[in-house]
Amino acid sequence: MDVLNLTISSARDALKAKKISSKELTKLYFERINKIDSKLNSYVLKCEKEALIEAENADKKIAKGEGSALTGIPCALKDNFNTKGIRTTCCSKILENFTPMYDATSVSKLKNENVVILGKTNMDEFACGGSTEYSCFGPTKNPWDFTRVAGGTSGGSAASVASDLCLFALGTDTGGSIRNPAAFCGCVGLKVTYGRVSRSGVTAMSSSWDTIGSFAKTVEDAAIVLQAIAGRDKRDSTTPDVKVPDYLKNIDKGIKGLKIGIPKEYFGEGVDTGVRDAVMNAVKEYEKAGAKISEVSLSLTKYAVAVYYISMPAELSANLARFDSIRFGRKPTNEGKDLMDYYLNSRGEGFGDEIKRRIMIGAYVLSAGYYDAYYLKAQRVRTLIIKEFENVFKNVDVLIAPVTPFPAFKIGEKCDNPLAMYTADILTIPVNAAGLPALALPCGFSKSNLPIGMQIIGPQFSEELLFQAGHFYQKITDFHKKKPEL
Amino acid sequence: MPLCYNYFVLSEEQVKHIAKLARLGLNEKEIKKFSSQLTDILEYMEILNELDTKNVEPTSQVTGLKNVTREDEAKEWIKSEEMLTATPLAIQNNQIKVKSVIK
């Protein structure tokens, strides 16, 4: 069996029909990972022993005629998801040997369905970055061009799905960290409504911006994964009690009469012509099939980066205060003479530059004398951004826009220029400001054969609609089926 | 009213102060580098000044949820002996031994 053309759906059919066992499937994936991943560096930890046990358990279930859509399906998890008994580092030196004692809620939900966890994937340290270059394990390469980044911060998860090194992967999206690598690597990336999936057990980056989501080969597969992990969790009090619909039931509904807004600020100066053209070609397909297209304006788009880079570091600085190498974490090489020294050294040695930058921005904007001017101001502008989206959604059902202004950039190109790295997120951040869901999917390739992604954005809790729109597009195009040469 | 001064610079002294608040040990080279990088970043934030937010409520979170509570009942979860295996420091009487706090 060739893993290259499998999806969750087709793998599940094969498992049910006993064409292959989960154990055999798992072994095939590890064969491929061991052969290819040294070129990509998408996995930071391979869990072969545990995975084979999970696969055996899945096979027992399948033999009894039990199991669900994800039973026996091999997947990968970004390394900020707590996995009980399995090292979880957030790709930071300070957690280099940390082993959680419990599973994240989303992980235990997957384990209840007997998935097979192949390993943990690479990310920017503590989910701070935009390219997976700020990892203590080195960068993840783009499967389409090894001299380029895989995107970030969930670069490892995206690269592994795009390279057929797993059937789906989980990631987190706080300012674009699922959609950006999905676009750069050419796979589907789902950012959910804030609160749709429990964040319990996933290392917090910025608590009012963080979301848990997935990477998959197809929109249908992304819907299957969301079905398993969505829902209220008493361990995460920011998960509203909103019913989880059957995401697959109406996925074939089609898009006739769908009102699609094209936000003009997402197609302006700074966005590559190639990216603009690819996304507009996709829009034309929707129009041909009966959708109603209209231009809309989101005039506050250009302020979103500033809002994010004030609000997010403030929350981050609070969330990372726990990393002091006392209850857990890496001891500093020089313990110092007192507790202050111990803190300064453990955090000074354990955190990378980007983390330090962000913690300091956070401490600054929250400090006396600056709180009103920066933090409170950013929170007020965030309200304006939310209201602007609400207004736009009075007249359209969804928005379609590019995910990034350009395809994958070269490794090393932006990592010495933090501001350049930040402004690359201009098209993804506004969605996080408003807590909206957005589905990223491949819609073309650049002249140098690099994937281009578009995002379908909807109002809160409209994932079902996004799946319908995305699934329709994947029935009439095959950008998502193209494979990198590995 | 400007967010901050017209010619904004985050001085090395300010970086040292913030780093100490955040318990980050930085060397001289890092302090110089961050002073310049953080200046650029914070200067960029001035763009928010273009917007009038006089009567706008700040947003803390986007769910609209309020007062989400649960019963205060103790439950068995992870034993303290297991939790203590995570510390890199010495353990004494089921407690983590840290460096001196009081001089």
Side-chain angles (χ1 to χ4, degrees):
Chain A
M1 176 157 292
D2 187 1
V3 302
L4 282 184
N5 293 309
L6 286 177
T7 59
I8 295 174
S9 300
S10 61
R12 180 70 188 130
D13 289 342
L15 289 167
K16 248 173 122 171
K18 312 261 189 321
K19 288 203 180 120
I20 190 170
S21 69
S22 177
K23 196 165 177 189
E24 287 162 342
L25 191 60
T26 301
K27 284 194 176 141
L28 282 175
Y29 274 102
F30 276 115
E31 249 170 56
R32 189 169 162 83
I33 291 168
N34 291 332
K35 192 166 125 205
I36 289 175
D37 200 46
S38 54
K39 297 188 222 176
L40 296 170
N41 197 29
S42 66
Y43 280 89
V44 300
L45 184 71
K46 293 178 268 190
C47 305
E48 204 153 346
K49 201 174 75 185
E50 294 86 354
L52 288 170
I53 296 172
E54 287 163 359
E56 270 170 20
N57 290 336
D59 282 331
K60 287 188 188 132
K61 266 234 153 83
I62 296 170
K64 286 195 261 177
E66 289 167 12
S68 66
L70 291 176
T71 301
I73 300 293
C75 69
L77 302 171
K78 185 174 181 181
D79 205 23
N80 55 355
F81 282 74
N82 271 6
T83 39
K84 184 174 175 171
I86 290 178
R87 191 193 73 184
T88 300
T89 67
C90 302
C91 294
S92 174
K93 214 165 150 190
I94 209 168
L95 286 180
E96 63 190 5
N97 280 319
F98 177 67
T99 304
M101 288 147 211
Y102 63 96
D103 285 321
T105 297
S106 46
V107 174
S108 58
K109 282 186 158 184
L110 289 180
K111 283 186 174 178
N112 283 342
E113 314 244 347
N114 294 100
V115 305
V116 174
I117 297 168
L118 299 175
K120 310 300 287 294
T121 56
N122 204 7
M123 54 185 281
D124 284 292
E125 185 181 0
F126 288 115
C128 292
S131 61
T132 311
E133 289 176 281
Y134 295 142
S135 162
C136 70
F137 295 106
T140 294
K141 321 285 174 58
N142 192 303
W144 298 83
D145 179 340
F146 299 158
T147 67
R148 292 179 185 266
V149 301
T153 61
S154 315
S157 283
S160 64
V161 169
S163 311
D164 293 288
L165 300 181
C166 64
L167 273 168
F168 73 93
L170 292 191
T172 58
D173 191 312
T174 300
S177 291
I178 285 180
R179 290 164 288 153
N180 168 305
F184 279 6
C185 291
C187 61
V188 172
L190 173 67
K191 181 221 171 280
V192 301
T193 305
Y194 178 86
R196 177 75 285 185
V197 178
S198 171
R199 292 177 294 117
S200 176
V202 181
T203 303
M205 199 266 252
S206 182
S207 306
S208 77
W209 298 75
D210 288 347
T211 59
I212 308 308
S214 63
F215 294 90
K217 309 258 192 70
T218 66
V219 171
E220 190 182 33
D221 279 2
I224 293 172
V225 176
L226 185 60
Q227 198 74 59
I229 59 176
R232 172 134 171 50
D233 179 21
K234 65 178 193 287
R235 288 219 164 99
D236 177 354
S237 57
T238 63
T239 52
D241 198 1
V242 171
K243 184 162 179 281
V244 180
D246 180 342
Y247 290 117
L248 288 175
K249 185 154 163 227
N250 296 314
I251 202 171
D252 279 304
K253 185 172 169 200
I255 50 85
K256 234 193 172 75
L258 183 71
K259 289 181 274 176
I260 302 177
I262 308 301
K264 65 175 199 250
E265 290 83 2
Y266 284 59
F267 292 83
E269 197 190 307
V271 180
D272 267 14
T273 336
V275 169
R276 231 185 284 164
D277 290 347
V279 179
M280 285 316 294
N281 285 339
V283 171
K284 288 193 193 100
E285 295 292 340
Y286 280 102
E287 195 172 29
K288 270 197 295 197
K292 303 262 176 289
I293 315 293
S294 58
E295 193 186 72
V296 299
S297 174
L298 289 168
S299 64
L300 297 174
T301 302
K302 65 176 176 173
Y303 300 105
V305 171
V307 168
Y308 180 62
Y309 279 99
I310 291 174
S311 168
M312 173 274 291
E315 296 181 357
L316 177 82
S317 66
N319 282 326
L320 296 193
R322 72 194 65 191
F323 298 107
D324 54 12
S325 305
I326 305 272
R327 290 161 299 152
F328 45 81
R330 172 192 172 276
K331 226 200 290 203
T333 47
N334 175 8
E335 285 183 50
K337 56 187 185 322
D338 58 20
L339 197 57
M340 175 64 91
D341 276 352
Y342 187 84
Y343 286 147
L344 293 174
N345 295 344
S346 77
R347 288 159 68 84
E349 287 175 24
F351 287 147
D353 276 7
E354 183 59 24
I355 300 299
K356 288 176 181 160
R357 267 191 291 270
R358 294 193 188 193
I359 290 176
M360 286 194 282
I361 294 171
Y364 181 80
V365 303
L366 287 173
S367 62
Y370 299 110
Y371 180 96
D372 283 9
Y374 287 98
Y375 187 68
L376 212 48
K377 180 81 182 179
Q379 285 191 313
R380 292 189 210 276
V381 178
R382 188 173 183 181
T383 304
L384 295 178
I385 293 174
I386 293 169
K387 286 199 188 328
E388 190 172 57
F389 272 113
E390 275 172 5
N391 269 331
V392 152
F393 282 124
K394 288 186 183 144
N395 303 314
V396 299
D397 300 315
V398 297
L399 304 168
I400 290 184
V403 173
T404 52
F406 31 71
F409 45 87
K410 292 264 187 206
I411 292 173
E413 189 184 309
K414 290 191 200 290
C415 56
D416 288 329
N417 185 348
L419 205 48
M421 191 74 90
Y422 296 169
T423 48
D425 291 337
I426 182 75
L427 305 180
T428 47
I429 286 173
V431 159
N432 299 82
L436 305 176
L439 179 66
L441 56 159
C443 69
F445 287 83
S446 72
K447 287 200 183 86
S448 22
N449 201 36
L450 296 169
I452 294 171
M454 66 169 170
Q455 53 180 332
I456 309 173
I457 304 165
Q460 288 195 350
F461 298 105
S462 64
E463 284 85 354
E464 204 182 343
L465 185 60
L466 304 186
F467 292 141
Q468 282 166 5
H471 181 62
F472 165 80
Y473 183 75
Q474 291 195 329
K475 285 207 288 210
I476 60 168
T477 59
D478 58 6
F479 296 116
H480 60 292
K481 293 193 183 149
K482 201 166 160 195
K483 300 278 174 196
E485 274 172 41
L486 291 166
Chain B
M1 205 205 108
L3 272 181
C4 212
Y5 312 106
N6 278 332
Y7 179 55
F8 174 75
V9 164
L10 196 68
S11 70
E12 285 177 25
E13 276 314 300
Q14 282 175 295
V15 171
K16 277 194 193 136
H17 173 64
I18 297 164
K20 184 137 189 235
L21 283 179
R23 301 294 187 257
L24 295 171
L26 302 179
N27 60 39
E28 283 306 314
K29 208 169 120 201
E30 285 174 312
I31 292 169
K32 264 199 170 59
K33 175 175 71 178
F34 289 137
S35 161
S36 147
Q37 288 177 340
L38 293 180
T39 294
D40 289 343
I41 293 166
L42 290 165
E43 213 165 37
Y44 177 82
M45 310 307 184
E46 299 289 319
I47 196 178
L48 294 186
N49 220 23
E50 295 174 12
L51 295 169
D52 178 8
T53 53
K54 218 174 19 250
N55 294 312
V56 181
E57 277 300 300
T59 291
S60 298
Q61 53 101 351
V62 298
T63 62
L65 291 172
K66 284 181 161 68
N67 301 330
V68 178
T69 59
R70 60 176 170 82
E71 284 306 308
D72 186 13
E73 352 169 86
K75 285 199 173 113
E76 273 254 359
W77 193 33
I78 302 171
K79 294 210 169 348
S80 58
E81 297 82 51
E82 197 185 341
M83 292 218 208
L84 284 170
T85 59
T87 180
L89 296 169
I91 298 169
Q92 198 172 290
N93 297 331
N94 230 32
Q95 295 167 63
I96 300 172
K97 207 163 163 197
V98 300
K99 291 254 174 231
S100 70
V101 180
I102 302 163
K103 293 213 201 300

